Amino acid sequence: MLENNSVGSGIIATVFGATGFLGRYVVQQLAKMGSQVLVPFRGSEDCHRHLKLMGDLGQIVPMKYNPRDESSIKAVMAKANVVINLIGRDHETRNYSFDEVHYHMAEKLAMISKEHGGIMRFIQVSCLGASPSSESKMLRAKAAAEEAILRELPEATILRPAVMVGTEDRILNRWAHFAKNYGFLPLIGDGSTKIQPVYVVDVAGALTTALRDDGSSMGKIYELGGPDIFTIHELAELMYDTIREWPRYVKVPFPIAKAIATPREVLLNKVPFPLPTPNMFNLDEINTLTKDTVVSGNALTFDDLGIVPHKLKGYPIEFLISYRKGGPQFGSTISEKVSPEDFP
Ligand SMILES: NC(=O)c1ccc[n+]([C@@H]2O[C@H](COP(=O)([O-])OP(=O)(O)OC[C@H]3O[C@@H](n4cnc5c(N)ncnc54)[C@H](OP(=O)(O)O)[C@@H]3O)[C@@H](O)[C@H]2O)c1
């Protein structure tokens, strides 16, 4: 059991990756439980501003660190009794490979936590589909990280969320933005790949539930998918339905999508300047889409944590109404489609 030596919950958590999409929901839920949250950040003061408002004075503590400097990692963990690793990136940059971000950093955090001696819980956020044999470099790196963490800390808890949906997501926002700007949506493959998107708040809820349990989630791996399985095409239809635009797709077969995405990967370390972040054509994501990614039959899931995940249709995707032409109140019902002729 965690000692009650902090604000309320007894938890003093260092949340690596707190400045990202999932991070804000995890910090919010930890703060609500009455935990102290240490927020390592590497960018400007702006990247953690929104988090400070989630707790009382002194409850959320931003700490500048350098992820490549072991002593600075030790400093941000020094007072913690819980370590949560949310560090990740869905594309490689000239500075950081998938292996460094997803695997070596996670391994380093586990090793330092072990050495620390006072870290009671270590929670790693991995990815649904993580496997050493995946087509995706990122998912292979995530699998290597899981193995390294469980080697160092067999009592660690690993969560593998499916693609996460929510106000700041990088799937529905990206699609809606593209569809609004270009009048169509590229459907990679033929749109029949199955995924199991999950509401980001449910993933944060699973994490804090695991943290508060009696230790029964220690040493376990949970696969966190939403209640419904969608094909990419079905999810795109839901997006179009919500933004009330007429669906228009261009099917992009895998070999063509890969051909569009490959030059960035080839040039990444060959040109003396940073390349743009991949948008719709991210080679690693395209490789992931060659296979269905859904929760496996024998996995531990939300159910084992006593959580009923939200259906996507409704509140979890309500943020999409900001993409509606004519404003969020345009039209009357969500299923009322409008034709292109309605817009002169
Ligand atoms: N988003 C999804 O749909 C999804 C689905 C399944 C699993 N996951 C996993 O869930 C975790 C959280 O995802 P997310 O969507 O919240 O990610 P995100 O928004 O991209 O945030 C990632 C976090 O990692 C940090 N980070 C990235 N590169 C780093 C580096 N080189 N050194 C140190 N910190 C670095 C970022 O810090 P900066 O702010 O400094 O960049 C940020 O705090 C990740 O491990 C991701 O792989 C995500």
Side-chain angles (χ1 to χ4, degrees), residues 16-23 40-43 47 65 67 85-90 96 100-102 105 124-128 138 142 159-165 169-171 198 200:
F16 291 92
T19 53
F21 170 38
L22 174 62
F41 69 99
R42 61 187 180 131
C47 60
Y65 88 124
N85 180 25
L86 312 177
I87 292 179
R89 188 96 316 162
D90 54 15
Y96 286 103
E100 181 170 7
V101 173
H102 292 280
M105 279 188 195
Q124 161 75 1
V125 174
S126 182
C127 228
L128 192 63
M138 189 189 83
K142 285 284 198 200
L159 305 180
R160 291 179 176 168
V163 60
M164 292 187 289
V165 163
D169 75 30
R170 286 183 300 276
I171 178 161
V198 60
V200 64

mmCIF file of all heavy atoms in Angstrom, residues 16-23 40-43 47 65 67 85-90 96 100-102 105 124-128 138 142 159-165 169-171 198 200, ligand 1:
data_model
loop_
_atom_site.group_PDB
_atom_site.id
_atom_site.type_symbol
_atom_site.label_atom_id
_atom_site.label_comp_id
_atom_site.label_asym_id
_atom_site.label_seq_id
_atom_site.Cartn_x
_atom_site.Cartn_y
_atom_site.Cartn_z
ATOM 1 N N PHE A 16 5.973 10.924 -16.758
ATOM 2 C CA PHE A 16 6.737 11.242 -17.971
ATOM 3 C C PHE A 16 5.770 11.249 -19.156
ATOM 4 O O PHE A 16 4.966 10.331 -19.302
ATOM 5 C CB PHE A 16 7.842 10.194 -18.188
ATOM 6 C CG PHE A 16 8.927 10.271 -17.156
ATOM 7 C CD1 PHE A 16 8.865 9.499 -15.992
ATOM 8 C CD2 PHE A 16 10.001 11.133 -17.324
ATOM 9 C CE1 PHE A 16 9.850 9.588 -15.025
ATOM 10 C CE2 PHE A 16 10.992 11.235 -16.359
ATOM 11 C CZ PHE A 16 10.920 10.462 -15.207
ATOM 12 N N GLY A 17 5.850 12.283 -19.977
ATOM 13 C CA GLY A 17 4.926 12.382 -21.110
ATOM 14 C C GLY A 17 3.626 13.070 -20.723
ATOM 15 O O GLY A 17 2.630 13.017 -21.457
ATOM 16 N N ALA A 18 3.623 13.762 -19.557
ATOM 17 C CA ALA A 18 2.399 14.413 -19.066
ATOM 18 C C ALA A 18 1.949 15.552 -19.974
ATOM 19 O O ALA A 18 0.781 15.945 -19.943
ATOM 20 C CB ALA A 18 2.626 14.941 -17.651
ATOM 21 N N THR A 19 2.865 16.085 -20.772
ATOM 22 C CA THR A 19 2.505 17.228 -21.612
ATOM 23 C C THR A 19 1.761 16.810 -22.887
ATOM 24 O O THR A 19 1.381 17.664 -23.682
ATOM 25 C CB THR A 19 3.765 18.031 -21.998
ATOM 26 O OG1 THR A 19 4.716 17.125 -22.577
ATOM 27 C CG2 THR A 19 4.392 18.704 -20.795
ATOM 28 N N GLY A 20 1.561 15.502 -23.085
ATOM 29 C CA GLY A 20 0.898 15.047 -24.315
ATOM 30 C C GLY A 20 -0.611 14.923 -24.168
ATOM 31 O O GLY A 20 -1.212 15.393 -23.192
ATOM 32 N N PHE A 21 -1.206 14.255 -25.144
ATOM 33 C CA PHE A 21 -2.665 14.103 -25.243
ATOM 34 C C PHE A 21 -3.222 13.342 -24.031
ATOM 35 O O PHE A 21 -4.063 13.850 -23.276
ATOM 36 C CB PHE A 21 -2.944 13.375 -26.570
ATOM 37 C CG PHE A 21 -4.342 12.902 -26.801
ATOM 38 C CD1 PHE A 21 -5.436 13.655 -26.411
ATOM 39 C CD2 PHE A 21 -4.572 11.695 -27.471
ATOM 40 C CE1 PHE A 21 -6.738 13.214 -26.648
ATOM 41 C CE2 PHE A 21 -5.854 11.245 -27.722
ATOM 42 C CZ PHE A 21 -6.933 11.995 -27.304
ATOM 43 N N LEU A 22 -2.755 12.126 -23.801
ATOM 44 C CA LEU A 22 -3.244 11.334 -22.666
ATOM 45 C C LEU A 22 -2.824 11.976 -21.348
ATOM 46 O O LEU A 22 -3.564 11.927 -20.349
ATOM 47 C CB LEU A 22 -2.677 9.901 -22.779
ATOM 48 C CG LEU A 22 -2.947 8.948 -21.616
ATOM 49 C CD1 LEU A 22 -4.447 8.713 -21.422
ATOM 50 C CD2 LEU A 22 -2.257 7.596 -21.857
ATOM 51 N N GLY A 23 -1.648 12.602 -21.360
ATOM 52 C CA GLY A 23 -1.068 13.162 -20.136
ATOM 53 C C GLY A 23 -2.016 14.080 -19.396
ATOM 54 O O GLY A 23 -2.150 14.000 -18.173
ATOM 55 N N PRO A 40 7.687 16.182 -15.450
ATOM 56 C CA PRO A 40 8.933 16.501 -16.144
ATOM 57 C C PRO A 40 8.602 17.074 -17.526
ATOM 58 O O PRO A 40 7.725 16.554 -18.206
ATOM 59 C CB PRO A 40 9.616 15.140 -16.305
ATOM 60 C CG PRO A 40 8.806 14.172 -15.513
ATOM 61 C CD PRO A 40 7.451 14.745 -15.353
ATOM 62 N N PHE A 41 9.256 18.157 -17.898
ATOM 63 C CA PHE A 41 9.012 18.710 -19.234
ATOM 64 C C PHE A 41 10.343 19.112 -19.841
ATOM 65 O O PHE A 41 11.305 19.382 -19.126
ATOM 66 C CB PHE A 41 8.040 19.894 -19.183
ATOM 67 C CG PHE A 41 8.609 21.135 -18.525
ATOM 68 C CD1 PHE A 41 9.117 22.182 -19.287
ATOM 69 C CD2 PHE A 41 8.657 21.237 -17.147
ATOM 70 C CE1 PHE A 41 9.654 23.309 -18.691
ATOM 71 C CE2 PHE A 41 9.199 22.363 -16.547
ATOM 72 C CZ PHE A 41 9.695 23.412 -17.307
ATOM 73 N N ARG A 42 10.384 19.116 -21.170
ATOM 74 C CA ARG A 42 11.657 19.429 -21.831
ATOM 75 C C ARG A 42 11.554 20.658 -22.699
ATOM 76 O O ARG A 42 12.533 21.143 -23.209
ATOM 77 C CB ARG A 42 12.128 18.232 -22.657
ATOM 78 C CG ARG A 42 11.145 17.863 -23.733
ATOM 79 C CD ARG A 42 11.488 16.589 -24.460
ATOM 80 N NE ARG A 42 10.480 16.341 -25.473
ATOM 81 C CZ ARG A 42 10.731 16.044 -26.725
ATOM 82 N NH1 ARG A 42 11.959 15.906 -27.152
ATOM 83 N NH2 ARG A 42 9.740 15.866 -27.577
ATOM 84 N N GLY A 43 10.324 21.139 -22.913
ATOM 85 C CA GLY A 43 10.150 22.282 -23.808
ATOM 86 C C GLY A 43 10.076 23.583 -23.037
ATOM 87 O O GLY A 43 10.742 23.762 -22.011
ATOM 88 N N CYS A 47 4.409 24.491 -22.229
ATOM 89 C CA CYS A 47 3.893 23.139 -22.483
ATOM 90 C C CYS A 47 3.245 22.500 -21.261
ATOM 91 O O CYS A 47 2.573 21.484 -21.382
ATOM 92 C CB CYS A 47 4.951 22.245 -23.114
ATOM 93 S SG CYS A 47 6.394 22.036 -22.128
ATOM 94 N N TYR A 65 13.590 18.868 -17.334
ATOM 95 C CA TYR A 65 14.547 17.752 -17.341
ATOM 96 C C TYR A 65 15.041 17.503 -18.757
ATOM 97 O O TYR A 65 14.527 18.064 -19.718
ATOM 98 C CB TYR A 65 13.897 16.499 -16.736
ATOM 99 C CG TYR A 65 13.134 15.620 -17.730
ATOM 100 C CD1 TYR A 65 13.458 14.275 -17.882
ATOM 101 C CD2 TYR A 65 12.096 16.124 -18.517
ATOM 102 C CE1 TYR A 65 12.765 13.462 -18.764
ATOM 103 C CE2 TYR A 65 11.405 15.308 -19.403
ATOM 104 C CZ TYR A 65 11.746 13.976 -19.521
ATOM 105 O OH TYR A 65 11.072 13.187 -20.397
ATOM 106 N N PRO A 67 15.673 14.271 -21.137
ATOM 107 C CA PRO A 67 15.448 12.823 -21.175
ATOM 108 C C PRO A 67 16.708 12.024 -21.513
ATOM 109 O O PRO A 67 16.727 10.805 -21.345
ATOM 110 C CB PRO A 67 14.379 12.654 -22.255
ATOM 111 C CG PRO A 67 14.394 13.903 -23.060
ATOM 112 C CD PRO A 67 14.897 14.990 -22.158
ATOM 113 N N ASN A 85 4.846 6.132 -17.266
ATOM 114 C CA ASN A 85 5.537 6.500 -18.513
ATOM 115 C C ASN A 85 4.551 6.595 -19.674
ATOM 116 O O ASN A 85 4.009 5.585 -20.126
ATOM 117 C CB ASN A 85 6.625 5.480 -18.854
ATOM 118 C CG ASN A 85 7.340 5.864 -20.150
ATOM 119 O OD1 ASN A 85 7.374 7.041 -20.529
ATOM 120 N ND2 ASN A 85 7.899 4.889 -20.832
ATOM 121 N N LEU A 86 4.344 7.824 -20.132
ATOM 122 C CA LEU A 86 3.446 8.062 -21.283
ATOM 123 C C LEU A 86 4.251 8.580 -22.472
ATOM 124 O O LEU A 86 3.664 9.084 -23.443
ATOM 125 C CB LEU A 86 2.390 9.126 -20.929
ATOM 126 C CG LEU A 86 1.629 9.010 -19.617
ATOM 127 C CD1 LEU A 86 0.695 10.200 -19.443
ATOM 128 C CD2 LEU A 86 0.813 7.728 -19.595
ATOM 129 N N ILE A 87 5.576 8.503 -22.384
ATOM 130 C CA ILE A 87 6.388 9.076 -23.475
ATOM 131 C C ILE A 87 6.147 8.296 -24.767
ATOM 132 O O ILE A 87 6.130 7.070 -24.777
ATOM 133 C CB ILE A 87 7.894 9.058 -23.106
ATOM 134 C CG1 ILE A 87 8.165 10.045 -21.963
ATOM 135 C CG2 ILE A 87 8.771 9.365 -24.312
ATOM 136 C CD1 ILE A 87 9.610 10.092 -21.503
ATOM 137 N N GLY A 88 5.956 9.014 -25.832
ATOM 138 C CA GLY A 88 5.761 8.370 -27.124
ATOM 139 C C GLY A 88 5.712 9.381 -28.240
ATOM 140 O O GLY A 88 5.569 10.593 -27.994
ATOM 141 N N ARG A 89 5.854 8.914 -29.445
ATOM 142 C CA ARG A 89 5.730 9.778 -30.625
ATOM 143 C C ARG A 89 5.337 8.878 -31.780
ATOM 144 O O ARG A 89 5.834 7.765 -31.883
ATOM 145 C CB ARG A 89 7.076 10.471 -30.897
ATOM 146 C CG ARG A 89 7.021 11.531 -31.956
ATOM 147 C CD ARG A 89 6.852 12.968 -31.475
ATOM 148 N NE ARG A 89 5.889 13.201 -30.436
ATOM 149 C CZ ARG A 89 5.861 14.299 -29.668
ATOM 150 N NH1 ARG A 89 6.741 15.248 -29.834
ATOM 151 N NH2 ARG A 89 4.934 14.467 -28.755
ATOM 152 N N ASP A 90 4.418 9.340 -32.639
ATOM 153 C CA ASP A 90 3.947 8.448 -33.701
ATOM 154 C C ASP A 90 4.768 8.559 -34.988
ATOM 155 O O ASP A 90 4.424 7.972 -35.999
ATOM 156 C CB ASP A 90 2.449 8.647 -33.973
ATOM 157 C CG ASP A 90 2.104 10.097 -34.265
ATOM 158 O OD1 ASP A 90 3.025 10.893 -34.546
ATOM 159 O OD2 ASP A 90 0.896 10.436 -34.214
ATOM 160 N N TYR A 96 15.280 11.837 -32.861
ATOM 161 C CA TYR A 96 14.802 10.720 -32.052
ATOM 162 C C TYR A 96 14.215 9.597 -32.916
ATOM 163 O O TYR A 96 13.269 9.818 -33.663
ATOM 164 C CB TYR A 96 13.718 11.201 -31.083
ATOM 165 C CG TYR A 96 14.267 11.997 -29.925
ATOM 166 C CD1 TYR A 96 14.169 13.385 -29.901
ATOM 167 C CD2 TYR A 96 14.883 11.362 -28.855
ATOM 168 C CE1 TYR A 96 14.669 14.118 -28.832
ATOM 169 C CE2 TYR A 96 15.384 12.082 -27.788
ATOM 170 C CZ TYR A 96 15.280 13.457 -27.774
ATOM 171 O OH TYR A 96 15.780 14.166 -26.709
ATOM 172 N N GLU A 100 14.667 4.832 -29.597
ATOM 173 C CA GLU A 100 15.092 5.642 -28.451
ATOM 174 C C GLU A 100 13.884 6.083 -27.617
ATOM 175 O O GLU A 100 13.885 5.963 -26.395
ATOM 176 C CB GLU A 100 15.902 6.866 -28.909
ATOM 177 C CG GLU A 100 16.339 7.662 -27.688
ATOM 178 C CD GLU A 100 17.336 8.768 -27.925
ATOM 179 O OE1 GLU A 100 17.648 9.061 -29.100
ATOM 180 O OE2 GLU A 100 17.787 9.354 -26.928
ATOM 181 N N VAL A 101 12.845 6.588 -28.304
ATOM 182 C CA VAL A 101 11.691 7.160 -27.583
ATOM 183 C C VAL A 101 10.870 6.080 -26.878
ATOM 184 O O VAL A 101 10.509 6.225 -25.705
ATOM 185 C CB VAL A 101 10.806 7.958 -28.565
ATOM 186 C CG1 VAL A 101 9.521 8.420 -27.890
ATOM 187 C CG2 VAL A 101 11.571 9.147 -29.106
ATOM 188 N N HIS A 102 10.577 5.010 -27.621
ATOM 189 C CA HIS A 102 9.631 4.028 -27.062
ATOM 190 C C HIS A 102 10.315 2.933 -26.249
ATOM 191 O O HIS A 102 9.720 2.396 -25.322
ATOM 192 C CB HIS A 102 8.815 3.392 -28.189
ATOM 193 C CG HIS A 102 7.871 4.353 -28.844
ATOM 194 N ND1 HIS A 102 6.661 4.679 -28.293
ATOM 195 C CD2 HIS A 102 7.981 5.080 -29.980
ATOM 196 C CE1 HIS A 102 6.046 5.568 -29.071
ATOM 197 N NE2 HIS A 102 6.840 5.827 -30.099
ATOM 198 N N MET A 105 14.189 4.782 -23.724
ATOM 199 C CA MET A 105 13.781 5.672 -22.625
ATOM 200 C C MET A 105 12.979 4.901 -21.583
ATOM 201 O O MET A 105 13.185 5.073 -20.381
ATOM 202 C CB MET A 105 12.942 6.836 -23.154
ATOM 203 C CG MET A 105 13.788 7.927 -23.722
ATOM 204 S SD MET A 105 12.766 9.353 -24.111
ATOM 205 C CE MET A 105 13.922 10.231 -25.148
ATOM 206 N N GLN A 124 3.395 1.538 -17.347
ATOM 207 C CA GLN A 124 3.882 1.832 -18.695
ATOM 208 C C GLN A 124 2.701 1.853 -19.649
ATOM 209 O O GLN A 124 1.904 0.923 -19.684
ATOM 210 C CB GLN A 124 4.878 0.720 -19.114
ATOM 211 C CG GLN A 124 5.149 0.582 -20.603
ATOM 212 C CD GLN A 124 6.052 1.680 -21.158
ATOM 213 O OE1 GLN A 124 6.505 2.568 -20.414
ATOM 214 N NE2 GLN A 124 6.296 1.654 -22.445
ATOM 215 N N VAL A 125 2.581 2.932 -20.426
ATOM 216 C CA VAL A 125 1.542 2.945 -21.460
ATOM 217 C C VAL A 125 2.184 2.517 -22.776
ATOM 218 O O VAL A 125 3.069 3.185 -23.305
ATOM 219 C CB VAL A 125 0.835 4.304 -21.565
ATOM 220 C CG1 VAL A 125 -0.131 4.314 -22.738
ATOM 221 C CG2 VAL A 125 0.075 4.577 -20.271
ATOM 222 N N SER A 126 1.753 1.360 -23.224
ATOM 223 C CA SER A 126 2.277 0.788 -24.470
ATOM 224 C C SER A 126 1.252 1.032 -25.569
ATOM 225 O O SER A 126 0.653 2.117 -25.610
ATOM 226 C CB SER A 126 2.538 -0.702 -24.226
ATOM 227 O OG SER A 126 3.073 -1.317 -25.352
ATOM 228 N N CYS A 127 1.012 0.095 -26.410
ATOM 229 C CA CYS A 127 0.108 0.295 -27.547
ATOM 230 C C CYS A 127 -0.531 -1.034 -27.918
ATOM 231 O O CYS A 127 0.178 -2.063 -27.939
ATOM 232 C CB CYS A 127 0.982 0.727 -28.721
ATOM 233 S SG CYS A 127 0.403 2.127 -29.596
ATOM 234 N N LEU A 128 -1.812 -1.037 -28.212
ATOM 235 C CA LEU A 128 -2.462 -2.253 -28.698
ATOM 236 C C LEU A 128 -1.745 -2.693 -29.982
ATOM 237 O O LEU A 128 -1.491 -1.852 -30.852
ATOM 238 C CB LEU A 128 -3.945 -1.982 -28.972
ATOM 239 C CG LEU A 128 -4.810 -3.211 -29.213
ATOM 240 C CD1 LEU A 128 -4.842 -4.113 -27.993
ATOM 241 C CD2 LEU A 128 -6.231 -2.821 -29.587
ATOM 242 N N MET A 138 7.289 1.186 -34.648
ATOM 243 C CA MET A 138 6.886 1.699 -33.344
ATOM 244 C C MET A 138 6.345 0.563 -32.459
ATOM 245 O O MET A 138 6.680 0.473 -31.289
ATOM 246 C CB MET A 138 5.822 2.782 -33.502
ATOM 247 C CG MET A 138 5.533 3.492 -32.209
ATOM 248 S SD MET A 138 4.131 4.585 -32.306
ATOM 249 C CE MET A 138 2.802 3.441 -32.042
ATOM 250 N N LYS A 142 7.704 -0.762 -28.928
ATOM 251 C CA LYS A 142 6.841 -0.859 -27.738
ATOM 252 C C LYS A 142 6.952 -2.261 -27.118
ATOM 253 O O LYS A 142 6.986 -2.403 -25.894
ATOM 254 C CB LYS A 142 5.380 -0.601 -28.111
ATOM 255 C CG LYS A 142 5.044 0.872 -28.373
ATOM 256 C CD LYS A 142 4.937 1.649 -27.087
ATOM 257 C CE LYS A 142 4.210 2.952 -27.238
ATOM 258 N NZ LYS A 142 4.514 3.893 -26.152
ATOM 259 N N LEU A 159 -0.258 -1.044 -19.816
ATOM 260 C CA LEU A 159 -1.553 -0.790 -20.462
ATOM 261 C C LEU A 159 -1.311 -0.629 -21.955
ATOM 262 O O LEU A 159 -0.413 0.104 -22.360
ATOM 263 C CB LEU A 159 -2.173 0.500 -19.907
ATOM 264 C CG LEU A 159 -2.354 0.591 -18.394
ATOM 265 C CD1 LEU A 159 -2.973 1.941 -18.011
ATOM 266 C CD2 LEU A 159 -3.228 -0.554 -17.872
ATOM 267 N N ARG A 160 -2.105 -1.324 -22.737
ATOM 268 C CA ARG A 160 -1.970 -1.210 -24.198
ATOM 269 C C ARG A 160 -3.245 -0.603 -24.776
ATOM 270 O O ARG A 160 -4.174 -1.337 -25.165
ATOM 271 C CB ARG A 160 -1.811 -2.593 -24.822
ATOM 272 C CG ARG A 160 -0.523 -3.292 -24.523
ATOM 273 C CD ARG A 160 -0.579 -4.638 -25.217
ATOM 274 N NE ARG A 160 0.658 -5.366 -25.059
ATOM 275 C CZ ARG A 160 0.782 -6.654 -25.379
ATOM 276 N NH1 ARG A 160 -0.257 -7.335 -25.849
ATOM 277 N NH2 ARG A 160 1.932 -7.246 -25.235
ATOM 278 N N PRO A 161 -3.345 0.724 -24.841
ATOM 279 C CA PRO A 161 -4.565 1.296 -25.417
ATOM 280 C C PRO A 161 -4.606 1.140 -26.939
ATOM 281 O O PRO A 161 -3.560 1.142 -27.598
ATOM 282 C CB PRO A 161 -4.490 2.779 -25.037
ATOM 283 C CG PRO A 161 -3.125 3.023 -24.523
ATOM 284 C CD PRO A 161 -2.386 1.736 -24.415
ATOM 285 N N ALA A 162 -5.826 1.049 -27.436
ATOM 286 C CA ALA A 162 -6.038 1.132 -28.888
ATOM 287 C C ALA A 162 -5.902 2.608 -29.270
ATOM 288 O O ALA A 162 -5.647 3.449 -28.404
ATOM 289 C CB ALA A 162 -7.441 0.631 -29.211
ATOM 290 N N VAL A 163 -6.122 2.941 -30.517
ATOM 291 C CA VAL A 163 -6.040 4.347 -30.927
ATOM 292 C C VAL A 163 -7.015 5.162 -30.067
ATOM 293 O O VAL A 163 -8.159 4.768 -29.848
ATOM 294 C CB VAL A 163 -6.298 4.494 -32.445
ATOM 295 C CG1 VAL A 163 -7.667 3.987 -32.842
ATOM 296 C CG2 VAL A 163 -6.122 5.919 -32.898
ATOM 297 N N MET A 164 -6.497 6.290 -29.532
ATOM 298 C CA MET A 164 -7.308 7.062 -28.575
ATOM 299 C C MET A 164 -8.013 8.232 -29.269
ATOM 300 O O MET A 164 -7.437 8.917 -30.119
ATOM 301 C CB MET A 164 -6.429 7.596 -27.452
ATOM 302 C CG MET A 164 -5.907 6.482 -26.560
ATOM 303 S SD MET A 164 -5.033 7.093 -25.113
ATOM 304 C CE MET A 164 -3.543 7.720 -25.815
ATOM 305 N N VAL A 165 -9.264 8.434 -28.834
ATOM 306 C CA VAL A 165 -10.111 9.481 -29.398
ATOM 307 C C VAL A 165 -10.475 10.463 -28.291
ATOM 308 O O VAL A 165 -10.661 10.071 -27.151
ATOM 309 C CB VAL A 165 -11.375 8.809 -30.004
ATOM 310 C CG1 VAL A 165 -12.482 9.798 -30.248
ATOM 311 C CG2 VAL A 165 -11.008 8.075 -31.284
ATOM 312 N N ASP A 169 -7.340 14.573 -30.120
ATOM 313 C CA ASP A 169 -6.808 13.353 -30.744
ATOM 314 C C ASP A 169 -6.129 13.626 -32.080
ATOM 315 O O ASP A 169 -6.249 14.703 -32.659
ATOM 316 C CB ASP A 169 -7.894 12.270 -30.857
ATOM 317 C CG ASP A 169 -8.912 12.527 -31.956
ATOM 318 O OD1 ASP A 169 -8.573 13.143 -32.980
ATOM 319 O OD2 ASP A 169 -10.074 12.114 -31.788
ATOM 320 N N ARG A 170 -5.391 12.619 -32.516
ATOM 321 C CA ARG A 170 -4.684 12.776 -33.790
ATOM 322 C C ARG A 170 -5.254 11.864 -34.870
ATOM 323 O O ARG A 170 -4.581 11.565 -35.840
ATOM 324 C CB ARG A 170 -3.179 12.500 -33.589
ATOM 325 C CG ARG A 170 -2.460 13.635 -32.866
ATOM 326 C CD ARG A 170 -0.987 13.362 -32.765
ATOM 327 N NE ARG A 170 -0.708 12.155 -32.052
ATOM 328 C CZ ARG A 170 -0.629 12.069 -30.714
ATOM 329 N NH1 ARG A 170 -0.783 13.134 -29.974
ATOM 330 N NH2 ARG A 170 -0.370 10.910 -30.145
ATOM 331 N N ILE A 171 -6.486 11.414 -34.683
ATOM 332 C CA ILE A 171 -7.106 10.642 -35.762
ATOM 333 C C ILE A 171 -8.309 11.398 -36.306
ATOM 334 O O ILE A 171 -8.293 11.856 -37.440
ATOM 335 C CB ILE A 171 -7.407 9.176 -35.337
ATOM 336 C CG1 ILE A 171 -8.107 8.443 -36.481
ATOM 337 C CG2 ILE A 171 -8.200 9.075 -34.049
ATOM 338 C CD1 ILE A 171 -8.065 6.941 -36.397
ATOM 339 N N VAL A 198 -10.694 3.995 -28.619
ATOM 340 C CA VAL A 198 -11.084 4.088 -27.209
ATOM 341 C C VAL A 198 -11.053 5.554 -26.787
ATOM 342 O O VAL A 198 -10.218 6.329 -27.266
ATOM 343 C CB VAL A 198 -10.138 3.201 -26.359
ATOM 344 C CG1 VAL A 198 -8.673 3.618 -26.474
ATOM 345 C CG2 VAL A 198 -10.536 3.171 -24.906
ATOM 346 N N VAL A 200 -10.123 8.598 -24.669
ATOM 347 C CA VAL A 200 -8.900 8.866 -23.908
ATOM 348 C C VAL A 200 -9.160 8.928 -22.402
ATOM 349 O O VAL A 200 -8.341 8.480 -21.587
ATOM 350 C CB VAL A 200 -8.227 10.163 -24.441
ATOM 351 C CG1 VAL A 200 -9.095 11.388 -24.237
ATOM 352 C CG2 VAL A 200 -6.855 10.389 -23.835
HETATM 353 N N1 LIG B 1 -2.532 8.685 -29.174
HETATM 354 C C1 LIG B 1 -2.927 7.438 -29.392
HETATM 355 O O1 LIG B 1 -3.896 7.192 -30.117
HETATM 356 C C2 LIG B 1 -2.204 6.295 -28.721
HETATM 357 C C3 LIG B 1 -2.699 5.000 -28.877
HETATM 358 C C4 LIG B 1 -2.064 3.947 -28.222
HETATM 359 C C5 LIG B 1 -0.964 4.178 -27.442
HETATM 360 N N2 LIG B 1 -0.474 5.445 -27.316
HETATM 361 C C6 LIG B 1 0.687 5.648 -26.453
HETATM 362 O O2 LIG B 1 0.244 6.375 -25.325
HETATM 363 C C7 LIG B 1 1.271 7.240 -24.875
HETATM 364 C C8 LIG B 1 0.708 8.654 -24.803
HETATM 365 O O3 LIG B 1 0.211 8.989 -26.081
HETATM 366 P P1 LIG B 1 -0.159 10.481 -26.461
HETATM 367 O O4 LIG B 1 -1.091 10.413 -27.596
HETATM 368 O O5 LIG B 1 -0.504 11.218 -25.235
HETATM 369 O O6 LIG B 1 1.237 11.000 -27.013
HETATM 370 P P2 LIG B 1 1.636 12.528 -27.359
HETATM 371 O O7 LIG B 1 0.477 13.427 -27.318
HETATM 372 O O8 LIG B 1 2.443 12.455 -28.617
HETATM 373 O O9 LIG B 1 2.566 12.907 -26.125
HETATM 374 C C9 LIG B 1 3.713 12.228 -25.948
HETATM 375 C C10 LIG B 1 4.490 12.713 -24.770
HETATM 376 O O10 LIG B 1 5.791 12.137 -24.938
HETATM 377 C C11 LIG B 1 6.761 13.161 -24.859
HETATM 378 N N3 LIG B 1 7.863 12.892 -25.770
HETATM 379 C C12 LIG B 1 7.813 12.653 -27.097
HETATM 380 N N4 LIG B 1 9.057 12.497 -27.578
HETATM 381 C C13 LIG B 1 9.901 12.649 -26.526
HETATM 382 C C14 LIG B 1 11.295 12.611 -26.392
HETATM 383 N N5 LIG B 1 12.094 12.401 -27.417
HETATM 384 N N6 LIG B 1 11.808 12.830 -25.167
HETATM 385 C C15 LIG B 1 11.022 13.063 -24.092
HETATM 386 N N7 LIG B 1 9.682 13.126 -24.164
HETATM 387 C C16 LIG B 1 9.130 12.908 -25.372
HETATM 388 C C17 LIG B 1 6.051 14.437 -25.295
HETATM 389 O O11 LIG B 1 6.778 15.520 -24.726
HETATM 390 P P3 LIG B 1 6.870 16.920 -25.482
HETATM 391 O O12 LIG B 1 5.583 17.617 -25.131
HETATM 392 O O13 LIG B 1 8.078 17.543 -24.873
HETATM 393 O O14 LIG B 1 7.018 16.617 -26.933
HETATM 394 C C18 LIG B 1 4.676 14.238 -24.704
HETATM 395 O O15 LIG B 1 4.661 14.631 -23.351
HETATM 396 C C19 LIG B 1 2.419 7.096 -25.841
HETATM 397 O O16 LIG B 1 3.328 6.177 -25.329
HETATM 398 C C20 LIG B 1 1.769 6.514 -27.084
HETATM 399 O O17 LIG B 1 2.675 5.745 -27.834
HETATM 400 C C21 LIG B 1 -1.078 6.514 -27.929
#
